[in-house]
Amino acid sequence: MSSPSPVGRLWRCLLALGLVSCLGTALAQDSSEAAQRLRTQRSTLDESLQHNVFARPLVLVSKETTQGLRGDMYALVAFPFANVSRALQDPQQWCEVMILHLNTKYCHALDGVQGQQVQLNIGSKSPQTLSQSSRVTLAYSLTTSQPDYFEVQLSAREGPMGTRDYQIRLEAVALATGQTFLHLTYAYSANLAARLAMQTYLATVGSDKVGFTVLSQAAQGAPVRIKGMRALLERNTMRYYLAINSYLATRQQPPAQRFEASLQHWFSASETYSEQLHEIERPAYLTMKRAEHLRQQTAQ
């Protein structure tokens, strides 16, 4: 006999125990199911995690539809779940992550009328004033936090530079090996003006930019990688993942040295994939990010 659905379990609980207790039980069951689902996903991806173009346990899946673009990064990391959970459940911690991304100019967490928010400014790969960049206010939500699983969402109906339905989502689950399995989603859709601007960029100065998905092998054996909008999405999904990983990898550093260490780690990791991610040299990146990090210490 099949087990009852979550709705069926909730209805039975409501009849037996009362509303408040039942809602807590239902949420715990949903979290348990989400944790198991992510562990199952890890098992399903085992072969791809071991053998891929990244030379590390990563899987990147991207897609473009009429509704928008979405990138999903799956990663097996050596950090214990408790460490990952402590490091990534507060919006201010996320600002320490986001500022590592090349195009993040400013990040500030605050408590808004409708809950916790993250104010994010997105701009170019060179130094900018905040007025030269685009600001988006992301609703921050720790949707689930359990001893072996958590999920964080940052979302905005209106995104930067003509995008909408902007979303960054991270879920993590503890594994029996002492490792943690991560699933990062980066997604957005774009209005007509934004799509035209992106297509113009990709057809001109960005025409040589590629992503990570291999479409075929050239006659000489070199991989033919995806270009266009999906390639742009893949590059940014990877940059966000490397920011998360760099933040986690340097958490054991003394607080005064932590940010500098995360900058160095992010740049070195990005250069591992220089064909896709190289934009500026290390000294320029470090100088720009030090100034931007100093600027975001106060509300702007």
Side-chain angles (χ1 to χ4, degrees), residues 20-260:
V20 175
S21 175
C22 293
L23 288 176
T25 301
L27 290 173
Q29 289 170 334
D30 287 346
S31 298
S32 177
E33 291 173 359
Q36 186 54 50
R37 172 188 47 76
L38 193 54
R39 290 191 183 99
T40 300
Q41 184 73 65
R42 183 256 177 273
S43 298
T44 301
L45 293 173
D46 185 63
E47 180 67 20
S48 297
L49 289 166
Q50 294 184 53
H51 306 286
N52 55 67
V53 299
F54 305 109
R56 62 169 76 184
L58 294 179
V59 173
L60 175 58
V61 180
S62 66
K63 63 180 180 180
E64 180 180 7
T65 68
T66 54
Q67 285 73 44
L69 294 113
R70 171 171 169 157
D72 287 280
M73 178 72 80
Y74 300 90
L76 183 64
V77 298
F79 313 115
F81 176 82
N83 293 3
V84 176
S85 181
R86 284 195 299 270
L88 293 171
Q89 291 198 20
D90 182 88
Q92 188 55 54
Q93 293 171 318
W94 273 88
C95 278
E96 295 297 300
V97 171
M98 304 286 272
I99 197 63
L100 300 178
H101 191 298
L102 191 65
N103 297 108
T104 301
K105 304 286 103 181
Y106 172 84
C107 184
H108 184 72
L110 70 157
D111 291 324
V113 175
Q114 297 180 334
Q116 291 181 304
Q117 298 176 336
V118 171
Q119 291 183 335
L120 194 68
N121 280 62
I122 304 294
S124 71
K125 60 192 176 188
S126 58
Q128 289 180 306
T129 64
L130 293 186
S131 62
Q132 294 172 316
S133 62
S134 298
R135 172 162 292 187
V136 56
T137 299
L138 299 163
Y140 173 89
S141 175
L142 177 61
T143 56
T144 305
S145 180
Q146 298 294 328
D148 65 343
Y149 173 85
F150 75 87
E151 180 188 38
V152 169
Q153 291 192 28
L154 296 97
S155 60
R157 185 176 297 276
E158 299 295 328
M161 295 174 285
T163 60
R164 62 181 186 272
D165 301 326
Y166 192 82
Q167 182 186 65
I168 296 173
R169 172 178 173 261
L170 179 73
E171 57 176 345
V173 68
L175 300 178
T177 58
Q179 299 170 300
T180 302
F181 188 57
L182 304 177
H183 173 207
L184 171 69
T185 297
Y186 171 58
Y188 61 87
S189 56
N191 61 28
L192 179 60
R195 293 185 71 88
L196 290 174
M198 291 178 190
Q199 288 167 358
T200 299
Y201 164 78
L202 293 170
T204 53
V205 294
S207 60
D208 61 337
K209 300 290 187 181
V210 298
F212 294 93
T213 297
V214 176
L215 300 176
S216 62
Q217 297 293 133
Q220 298 80 13
V224 177
R225 301 187 187 277
I226 195 167
K227 290 189 173 185
M229 297 285 283
R230 274 181 59 194
L232 179 64
L233 174 82
E234 289 185 359
R235 292 195 297 273
N236 273 322
T237 303
M238 175 61 87
R239 287 186 174 115
Y240 280 122
Y241 166 72
L242 292 179
I244 291 169
N245 190 67
S246 296
Y247 181 71
L248 293 172
T250 54
R251 287 284 292 168
Q252 300 306 312
Q253 295 285 337
Q257 302 171 22
R258 196 173 293 159
F259 178 68
E260 183 69 23

